[in-house]
Amino acid sequence: MKSSHYQMDPFSKQMIPFYSELKDYKWVDDFLKCQSLHKQFKQLGEAQKQLRQTHSNKEAFRARLKKSFDDYRARRKNHLQRFLRATERSKNPFARLETGSNPIMQRVLAPVTWDDIEDALNDLEGLEDGISDEEREKQLSAITTEVENIKSKLAKLNKPEFFQMHNGQIDCDIREIFFKWWLYVQNLCNQPCNPRGFNLDSSLPLEIEAYHKLGIGRAVNKKRPEGPAEG
């Protein structure tokens, strides 16, 4: 059985993804800002989705119903006029309506009055805590403005050299891949280590600072018997 003083086998620099491009760690602050902005972006998306699904209050719903109903009545009138023109010479125009064979009259539907709709709406439950359409649009507009603001900030922070492209599309952020690699290596041993698996104490100050800023320490695995390699 391995004892706790066993050391992990270190990785060569060539094995570390994008090590040569990122070893100066000057990218860390902007990367962390991007992560924070991406988190905000996701939260705004969720808020937007929730807002769109929030119930309308009855007054807002009533106003939309009334407009929709008026549009329905206009269409119904148009269909009836077409029916009347088509049956103008018939001795029994509504005979075809009774059999349901006339496609125009099939679109007229059963009569529904505005009083019917008002009665159903007044007894409709679940809209007591809804919001008005105006308030919904106001909040959605504010979210959209913030989303565009975040996109603008990300565009300034995400320099082209940090992205690999494939068929004209962004394939990956090399900083993200390097970051995940370091977490992976750290999870292989029970003490702080650098991206190669050596004891963090052997690293230069910039690398030690990056370790703490990136929160790599969260991946220290106390259950592992191996410690980092000695530099």
Side-chain angles (χ1 to χ4, degrees):
M1 182 177 180
K2 291 184 178 180
S3 61
S4 61
H5 67 273
Y6 277 22
Q7 297 178 15
M8 68 180 293
D9 294 327
F11 298 91
S12 66
K13 293 180 181 179
Q14 290 72 27
M15 292 184 66
I16 304 172
F18 309 108
Y19 179 75
S20 60
E21 294 93 335
L22 302 174
K23 62 183 179 182
D24 63 4
Y25 296 105
K26 293 179 180 179
W27 51 271
V28 170
D29 287 341
D30 283 352
F31 176 68
L32 290 173
K33 290 177 184 177
C34 286
Q35 282 195 320
S36 176
L37 288 170
H38 280 300
K39 183 178 180 180
Q40 293 177 45
F41 190 88
K42 182 178 180 181
Q43 291 172 339
L44 286 171
E46 292 172 350
Q48 192 175 51
K49 180 180 178 181
Q50 182 176 2
L51 187 58
R52 292 186 187 281
Q53 294 176 343
T54 300
H55 292 302
S56 301
N57 61 32
K58 284 190 178 181
E59 289 309 310
F61 192 27
R62 178 179 282 103
R64 278 187 281 111
L65 272 172
K66 187 62 169 68
K67 182 181 183 308
S68 182
F69 181 75
D70 289 343
D71 291 342
Y72 154 74
R73 290 184 65 190
R75 290 194 304 272
R76 190 169 188 265
K77 179 179 179 180
N78 178 263
H79 293 317
L80 281 170
Q81 288 175 333
R82 289 175 60 194
F83 174 81
L84 293 176
R85 288 193 186 99
T87 60
E88 177 262 329
R89 296 179 63 86
S90 174
K91 292 183 178 181
N92 188 6
F94 273 80
R96 281 185 285 178
L97 174 63
E98 292 176 344
T99 61
S101 61
N102 189 287
I104 296 177
M105 287 305 293
Q106 287 175 4
R107 301 188 66 180
V108 172
L109 305 179
V112 177
T113 68
W114 180 247
D115 288 340
D116 293 333
I117 295 175
E118 282 275 14
D119 184 52
L121 180 61
N122 289 334
D123 291 338
L124 189 63
E125 298 180 354
L127 302 182
E128 293 78 8
D129 299 324
I131 62 174
S132 68
D133 291 349
E134 292 78 8
E135 180 61 26
R136 190 196 312 277
E137 290 305 316
K138 178 181 177 182
Q139 292 185 35
L140 286 173
S141 177
I143 290 175
T144 299
T145 299
E146 186 59 26
V147 165
E148 293 303 316
N149 183 38
I150 289 176
K151 287 181 178 179
S152 177
K153 290 179 179 179
L154 284 171
K156 294 177 181 178
L157 293 171
N158 286 328
K159 298 177 181 178
E161 60 263 32
F162 295 129
F163 296 91
Q164 285 196 333
M165 309 296 291
H166 180 69
N167 293 332
Q169 301 293 325
I170 293 177
D171 185 49
C172 68
D173 182 340
I174 65 174
R175 299 168 299 180
E176 184 72 26
I177 292 176
F178 179 87
F179 169 64
K180 289 180 178 178
W181 166 268
W182 201 346
L183 287 173
Y184 162 74
V185 174
Q186 179 59 86
N187 193 246
L188 296 177
C189 63
N190 56 29
Q191 296 294 328
C193 69
N194 67 17
R196 295 185 59 194
F198 285 107
N199 194 303
L200 188 65
D201 291 338
S202 65
S203 297
L204 295 174
L206 277 176
E207 193 162 67
I208 296 175
E209 183 180 18
Y211 178 94
H212 293 295
K213 283 185 176 181
L214 292 169
I216 303 299
R218 79 187 79 164
V220 170
N221 190 349
K222 294 296 185 180
K223 295 181 180 180
R224 296 283 300 195
E226 299 93 345
E230 293 299 328

